[in-house]
Amino acid sequence: MNLQDFRTRADVFLVGGIQEKFIEMTTKYNEGNYGDAVAMAKTLVESTCAYVYHAVTNKEIEEDKGHVQVTGNYTIGMYAAVRETLRLFAAQLPNFEQTEKIATTTCDLVQSIANLRNSAAAAHGGRKRSIPPAKLEALLAIEISEDLAATLLLMLHKYQYPDDFNVIGSLIDKTDDMESYVDVNDSGRYVVDSPQFNIGYTVIQSIIQSVDYEVKKLPMNQNVDAEHIKDIVMDYLPKDAKFEGMESDQMYKFYSEVHDTHYSAIFTDLNPGMILTISSFDETLYNA
């Protein structure tokens, strides 16, 4: 995704199902089928909500937040789907009380798309002839849908991949002092070595999985240097991460609310020196 301009359509809508809806919506609009284009604009938002919600929760939004129809199938309205998907990313919004109003307004705009769509021939049958939306009305619906879908995908991207510099879960930002030990898929290790320190980044397809931070010669005492050790770990975690406590004498625990991820740092005393092994972990599996 192009984070400099997340509304660049070709970059945003590359997810298979979402891309399909985007192409069909654009095609209908270019063909002058404005009613069908508005219908697909609504579908684009619904598909984006379903994709994003599943990516975060591993659940189907219809089953988790919707209701059962008389046919036995689960369903959820577009308004509810947008609201529930936005709630997943509340931690990304530091001024949530104010931004909640923006989210509500966004949902109102989405509902307006649904109301506009109900005037379109593609929406449903009826006794009276439907009056399809005009070109500019369809364009308004499309633009609102595209921007909302793009924003949800950007929030998902930020949730999955921290945009901080070389932290756990982020894309590796290669610097001149790094030695590369990776394969063609950019999986392996990047190492920064000096007489005092050795920092190793383990990556899989350019995503940082863990960091080994070695202090070679300087004596390190966990009690005396406790705050310094925490500060070192924090340099390799998302900026909102907070220290939660000690899981054991050697294991420090941290948590990021924005990314809903737990992290650990394992202290190994080299006497002199130390190694901190920093990575994320699944709290539920750890406590099982």
Side-chain angles (χ1 to χ4, degrees), residues 27-28 32 48-49 71 92 112 120 142 186 208-209 216 221 237 269 274:
T27 300
K28 294 296 185 183
T48 302
C49 289
T71 59
Q92 292 186 22
S112 296
I142 287 173
D186 206 14
I208 299 174
Q209 307 296 316
K216 294 182 178 181
N221 182 290
L237 300 180
D269 191 354
M274 68 165 186

Side-chain angles (χ1 to χ4, degrees), residues 65-134:
K65 297 296 182 180
H67 61 275
V68 182
Q69 297 175 302
V70 293
T71 59
N73 297 322
Y74 287 90
T75 186
I76 186 171
M78 182 176 59
Y79 194 103
V82 171
R83 185 179 62 249
E84 296 296 341
T85 305
L86 284 171
R87 285 177 177 174
L88 295 175
F89 306 113
Q92 292 186 22
L93 308 172
N95 303 300
F96 187 72
E97 289 186 3
Q98 290 83 2
T99 54
E100 189 176 29
K101 296 178 182 178
I102 298 175
T104 302
T105 302
T106 301
C107 288
D108 288 339
L109 290 172
V110 174
Q111 188 60 53
S112 296
I113 296 173
N115 294 338
L116 180 60
R117 183 221 180 202
N118 286 338
S119 297
H124 55 264
R127 182 176 61 83
K128 296 183 178 180
R129 181 179 179 180
S130 298
I131 302 175

